[in-house]
Amino acid sequence: MTSPAERAASIDPGQLYEVVRQRLIATTRSLADDQLLTFVPAAPQWRVRDVLAHVVGLVTDLNAQHLPAADDVGGAAWGAAQVAVRHATPIGAMLSEWEREAPAFENGLRIFGYEEGSHFIGDLHAHHQDVRGALGLERDDDPTVVAVSLDHYLGFVHAILVDAHWGVLAVQASGEVRVLGTEAGSRRAQLAAPAFDVLRVFSARRSSAQIRRLRWRGDVDALVDLMAIGFSGGYALPLADVVE
């Protein structure tokens, strides 16, 4: 088992993004037309083809330095526009756009480094699993991809806890233990779960009720309340359970 520091030193984020991208492409190519119109519980306003439009549009937009507006919390309007502009675009054309835009984007992840790269690897993995979960397909639980994605999302949660002076959260994910937050706060909580389940919690793919049902110790209610505030806009916790 590697540590976050070892992953940061050894993993090429551009190459790993490409691995996840090709997996999502393979999943998309395997689907019938009616499956592409299936609504996705983890992103209930989107169908499978809309998820593809978003991940393709994100790469195109970032390559063009077209960023979310300052008041667009969580990039919700930005993502919605990516879907809207491709609402009638054939799947093959979207995949061709991704193939054109991806090399520059993946090279950019190498330039910006592991911290930035793990963000986009985690985001793409989340959307791929959203699609596979919606269609009842086997989990995308590659251990390396899950670990890299967790490095980003646990870092995000750590920042929320520190900013709120909340306290300390210890997370045990398939044997790897991470301590988040700061001793400056008064609250304490512990979570032990498989890495995939921890990832789906902290990438905002589980409802508050689902989060509470995991193996917790400590002040889980206060933590979930803080997550409901910190995960906002396009990254808000789902209201209904996401069953995968």
Side-chain angles (χ1 to χ4, degrees):
M1 180 180 298
T2 59
S3 68
E6 289 170 326
R7 288 190 286 272
S10 63
I11 287 175
D12 177 340
Q15 182 180 54
L16 191 59
Y17 180 92
E18 181 182 9
V19 167
V20 182
R21 182 172 66 85
Q22 292 298 338
R23 288 175 182 165
L24 178 49
I25 289 172
T27 297
T28 302
R29 291 193 188 282
S30 73
L31 301 179
D33 289 346
D34 62 327
Q35 290 177 301
L36 292 165
L37 300 179
T38 301
F39 278 92
V40 176
Q45 74 278 23
W46 285 348
R47 303 162 297 170
V48 168
R49 62 160 288 126
D50 299 328
V51 173
L52 180 66
H54 164 59
V55 298
V56 172
L58 180 148
V59 167
T60 297
D61 278 351
L62 290 180
N63 280 351
Q65 300 184 36
H66 176 212
L67 305 178
D71 61 350
D72 183 11
V73 179
W78 187 59
Q82 292 157 358
V83 172
V85 77
R86 295 168 179 81
H87 75 282
T89 303
I91 295 298
M94 282 195 278
L95 294 179
S96 294
E97 178 186 355
W98 211 7
E99 292 287 5
R100 289 194 308 272
E101 296 285 345
F105 182 78
E106 290 159 2
N107 191 51
L109 297 185
R110 295 184 183 96
I111 294 169
F112 285 106
Y114 183 79
E115 184 174 354
E116 191 76 8
S118 66
H119 175 183
F120 290 103
I121 291 164
D123 181 73
L124 185 59
H125 173 271
H127 288 304
H128 186 204
Q129 178 55 39
D130 293 346
V131 167
R132 295 188 70 83
L135 297 170
L137 302 176
E138 184 179 353
R139 288 178 167 185
D140 176 19
D141 58 359
D142 177 277
T144 298
V145 175
V146 168
V148 170
S149 300
L150 265 176
D151 286 343
H152 165 67
Y153 285 109
L154 291 182
F156 178 68
V157 173
H158 171 73
I160 291 174
L161 297 176
V162 170
D163 288 347
H165 303 288
W166 188 89
V168 174
L169 168 64
V171 178
Q172 180 179 336
S174 299
E176 184 174 327
V177 178
R178 302 279 290 274
V179 179
L180 314 179
T182 173
E183 294 287 350
S186 61
R187 300 185 185 278
R188 297 287 186 276
Q190 298 177 12
L191 169 64
F196 177 88
D197 295 323
V198 174
L199 177 58
R200 295 302 276 172
V201 165
F202 292 121
S203 57
R205 263 62 182 190
R206 293 291 183 265
S207 69
S208 296
Q210 285 177 299
I211 293 171
R212 288 184 170 91
R213 289 198 291 267
L214 293 175
R215 206 173 107 201
W216 290 94
R217 294 177 61 188
D219 201 346
V220 61
D221 289 332
L223 178 64
V224 172
D225 288 344
L226 181 62
M227 288 175 62
I229 296 169
F231 286 68
S232 57
Y235 295 94
L237 296 179
L239 299 177
D241 288 359
V242 176
V243 180
E244 300 174 318

